[in-house]
Amino acid sequence: MNARSIAAVLLLATGMASAAQTLETAYRTNGQSVQSAFDSVRAVLQDSSAVIQRGRKEIAYGTVMSADGYILTKASEIGDASDLSIIVGKKAYPEPQLISTDPTWDVALLKIPAEGLTPVRLLLDQAEPPRGTWVVANGATSRSLRRVQVGIIAANAREIPHAGGPVLGVSFEEKDKKLVVTEVAEKSGSATAGVTKDDVLLLLDGDEITGTEGLAELIGEYHVGDEVTLTIERAGEKKELKVELKGRSDVFGEEVTRNDMMSGAFSKRRSGFPKVIQHDIIANASSIGGPVLNLDGGCLGMNIARATRCETFAIPASELKSIAERLMSQAK
């Protein structure tokens, strides 16, 4: 069935809904009749996406980027990639190799010992998909069958800033109008730079740090990823340390709102992406990482976060190509 026919089936289902107020199960987006309209796209998902498991639990999807087994997925969902197995098509591959990660995009490159896989067909010769474009991604799955989820592009492509902005990643207390470090967050730029407990914070890029509010004002002038010179006092000696300002969500995790707690399993990381396309396919944290296809099976991008009850973010195809080429070149 081609894209025009699929659209006709969906319009038919929409019309029936208007007449009867409710749809019979067969005509819902996860019903048998609607699912059958996407058989050709489902076949692409079967061959060009991966199911990533830890034990028997599905923890993420992946996007096949090369015939010889390079697969992109969401880095924060797989961790150190230990105890994983991957299913592509109907074949399982134990113990994939974690080749590299890209913290900026929260993407990991995995490698399985395969030949003759079918990589996704990235759509690079068209502008960003306009709002209202039909999209298809992985739904519930088994080794023998990939079901589809259907939705539409819901917003223009855009940057998603880091939630909470940049941070040093240290806790401190104020003593005699000076800030003394009491704790350094493990994932912070301060930890990497060597800031330790009991260091006294003196200067940030040459500007005097005057209390908690003064430090917040200074940090607020920078962006996530900027490197600053932090002058500290340690055991009576002054030291200058180069510190990368990381996103609050990267260091301390995403803030969970009351609405989040009531609405579903969102991704561990759902902000701080340079550019995403947004669609409304229903997903959860463990169904992120697979390709987002149009009705002809072309790849518009890769799902990277379930953000809210009705928002899913995907890395656009052109950016995905660049990420894949960079990470794969590092592996060779």
Side-chain angles (χ1 to χ4, degrees):
M1 186 173 288
N2 59 29
R4 179 173 298 178
S5 300
I6 290 173
V9 170
L10 293 170
L11 288 171
L12 174 61
T14 304
M16 294 183 66
S18 299
Q21 298 302 311
T22 60
L23 281 172
E24 296 176 17
T25 301
Y27 296 106
R28 295 175 182 171
T29 56
N30 60 351
Q32 185 176 0
S33 296
V34 174
Q35 290 276 323
S36 65
F38 296 92
D39 271 350
S40 61
V41 187
R42 188 188 65 77
V44 177
L45 291 174
Q46 186 83 38
D47 294 335
S48 301
S49 65
V51 182
I52 301 175
Q53 297 180 319
R54 178 167 283 122
R56 301 185 64 177
K57 182 180 180 181
E58 294 180 6
I59 62 169
Y61 287 103
T63 300
V64 177
M65 300 303 298
S66 74
D68 60 350
Y70 285 103
I71 293 171
L72 290 181
T73 188
K74 182 173 175 66
S76 58
E77 290 299 329
I78 66 168
D80 61 4
S82 60
D83 303 323
L84 296 183
S85 62
I86 289 181
I87 299 172
V88 179
K90 297 181 181 180
K91 186 174 180 179
Y93 298 86
E95 301 179 357
Q97 182 182 3
L98 175 60
I99 300 298
S100 185
T101 59
D102 183 325
T104 299
W105 290 91
D106 195 18
V107 165
L109 178 67
L110 300 173
K111 177 72 169 65
I112 57 175
E115 295 180 353
L117 299 184
T118 305
V120 290
R121 176 168 57 85
L122 294 171
L123 297 178
L124 305 172
D125 58 350
Q126 64 178 47
E128 295 161 358
R131 286 176 290 177
T133 300
W134 286 99
V135 290
V136 182
N138 283 287
T141 188
S142 66
R143 182 175 296 191
S144 61
L145 178 66
R146 305 290 171 82
R147 295 172 68 87
V148 300
Q149 287 276 27
V150 183
I152 61 171
I153 298 293
N156 294 332
R158 68 193 189 282
E159 177 186 2
I160 304 296
H162 282 269
V167 295
L168 277 175
V170 298
S171 301
F172 47 77
E173 60 182 353
E174 195 163 338
K175 292 182 179 178
D176 299 328
K177 298 183 179 181
K178 292 184 178 180
L179 300 184
V180 181
V181 175
T182 57
E183 188 175 354
V184 182
E186 181 181 355
K187 298 180 179 178
S188 68
S190 293
T192 303
V195 178
T196 62
K197 184 175 181 296
D198 295 329
D199 286 347
V200 180
L201 307 181
L202 299 178
L203 304 172
L204 188 77
D205 273 351
D207 293 322
E208 184 179 4
I209 298 173
T210 55
T212 303
E213 292 183 2
L215 177 59
E217 289 179 4
L218 290 176
I219 294 292
E221 297 176 359
Y222 295 87
H223 299 90
V224 174
D226 287 348
E227 186 179 78
V228 298
T229 300
L230 181 66
T231 305
I232 62 167
E233 181 180 312
R234 180 181 298 166
E237 294 185 4
K238 290 184 179 180
K239 293 179 177 291
E240 289 188 349
L241 302 173
K242 298 291 186 182
V243 178
E244 178 186 353
L245 299 178
K246 294 194 174 182
R248 177 178 296 278
S249 55
D250 291 333
V251 177
F252 300 109
E254 296 275 0
E255 181 180 0
V256 179
T257 66
R258 179 179 174 82
N259 185 56
D260 293 340
M261 290 186 286
M262 297 172 61
S263 301
F266 303 123
S267 297
K268 294 176 183 175
R269 177 180 159 184
R270 48 186 168 144
S271 68
F273 303 111
K275 187 178 183 181
V276 300
I277 53 178
Q278 177 185 323
H279 59 81
D280 64 353
I281 286 179
I282 298 172
N284 57 45
S286 62
S287 58
I288 295 301
V292 179
L293 308 177
N294 68 6
L295 297 184
D296 294 319
C299 182
L300 297 166
M302 184 185 90
N303 280 332
I304 196 60
R306 179 61 172 173
T308 69
R309 187 170 59 86
C310 54
E311 294 176 330
T312 301
F313 297 149
I315 300 173
S318 57
E319 280 73 15
L320 193 64
K321 178 176 184 293
S322 175
I323 295 167
E325 289 179 344
R326 176 163 41 81
L327 295 183
M328 290 166 67
S329 68
Q330 294 172 3
K332 298 177 180 176

